[in-house]
Amino acid sequence: MEKEYDCFISHASEDKDDFVRELAKCLKDSGLKVWYDEFTIRAGNSLRKEIDKGLSSSIAGIVIFSHNFFEKEWTQNELNALVARKNATKKDLIIPIWHNIEYNDILKVSPLFADMYALDSKEGVSVITKKILSIIAELKNDEDSSISILDKNNAKRQYMETIVTPWSEMIDINNWNSWAYGLLSSGQP
């Protein structure tokens, strides 16, 4: 099933002006379908429904870890949803970016995420964008491979149903041993 978005950006609103907005724009300008609140949510929309939709219909989740991020309940809920998807799919779909935060800071609040290789906003938006494009291309290839495996399994099942099963019924393969016994036991080649 094709996803509506390539990536969902989870972030604290306090980090928009100095990093997140520019990253979202650069990713979108690079051709990615980006779920970012300022691009997606319109006046009158339900915040929860729109965020749920974005989380469930994105290939990857970009998480901007910062001091602000860890102080917000909303961002923690988004992270929980991404972790649930990661665990269910067994795919590394979370792309962590550290923004104005160090390893020891993350280790204090989330040892699980301190262990993940992360990008750092100090690298600059253009470098991070290139890395994210590469990661998402890889995830898309994995998704395409999963689809082709399903297609192959469906083709195999269809082959069995339309050719092998009717043929084996027609030649009465379940009774092959009894009607072939005479041929095989007479010493004939």
Side-chain angles (χ1 to χ4, degrees):
M1 181 176 123
E2 189 174 321
K3 298 285 188 185
E4 185 175 346
Y5 299 101
D6 294 314
C7 57
F8 176 96
I9 301 178
S10 177
H11 66 287
S13 57
E14 292 84 356
D15 298 322
K16 283 182 188 296
D17 292 338
D18 65 342
F19 178 69
V20 181
R21 187 176 290 116
E22 183 184 357
L23 176 65
K25 184 180 180 330
C26 197
L27 290 169
K28 185 177 179 183
D29 291 348
S30 296
L32 290 183
K33 295 178 278 181
V34 179
W35 192 102
Y36 174 62
D37 58 356
E38 291 181 354
F39 298 163
T40 312
I41 299 176
R42 304 287 177 249
N45 288 152
S46 162
L47 288 174
R48 187 200 54 78
K49 284 183 181 179
E50 291 301 315
I51 290 171
D52 274 346
K53 179 182 175 189
L55 286 164
S56 64
S57 62
S58 296
I59 292 170
I62 298 170
V63 181
I64 314 298
F65 288 112
S66 68
H67 293 286
N68 296 319
F69 181 91
F70 288 111
E71 292 173 2
K72 305 270 183 180
E73 188 174 334
W74 197 264
T75 56
Q76 298 301 304
N77 291 335
E78 292 171 352
L79 181 59
N80 291 342
L82 289 169
V83 169
R85 280 196 51 217
K86 178 185 186 305
N87 291 339
T89 62
K90 308 286 190 247
K91 292 183 181 179
D92 292 330
L93 55 84
I94 298 173
I95 303 170
I97 300 175
W98 294 0
H99 179 60
N100 298 330
I101 197 165
E102 301 296 326
Y103 173 80
N104 287 332
D105 299 323
I106 293 180
L107 186 62
K108 289 176 190 172
V109 291
S110 183
L112 289 172
F113 284 99
D115 179 56
M116 289 180 81
Y117 175 75
L119 305 174
D120 194 316
S121 64
K122 292 175 193 169
E123 296 178 272
V125 169
S126 62
V127 171
I128 288 174
T129 297
K130 288 177 186 171
K131 290 180 179 182
I132 290 172
L133 289 170
S134 174
I135 293 166
I136 291 178
E138 197 175 304
L139 287 169
K140 282 182 174 181
N141 285 339
D142 286 349
E143 200 168 272
D144 291 344
S145 296
S146 298
I147 291 168
S148 64
I149 289 168
L150 288 174
D151 289 344
K152 287 177 186 174
N153 287 339
N154 285 338
K156 186 188 277 185
R157 183 182 44 77
Q158 187 176 12
Y159 176 78
M160 291 293 290
E161 288 175 357
T162 59
I163 296 173
V164 174
T165 302
W167 181 252
S168 64
E169 289 171 357
M170 191 169 56
I171 63 168
D172 195 22
I173 201 158
N174 291 333
N175 293 317
W176 180 85
N177 193 24
S178 63
W179 60 260
Y181 177 76
L183 293 172
L184 297 175
S185 64
S186 66
Q188 298 293 322

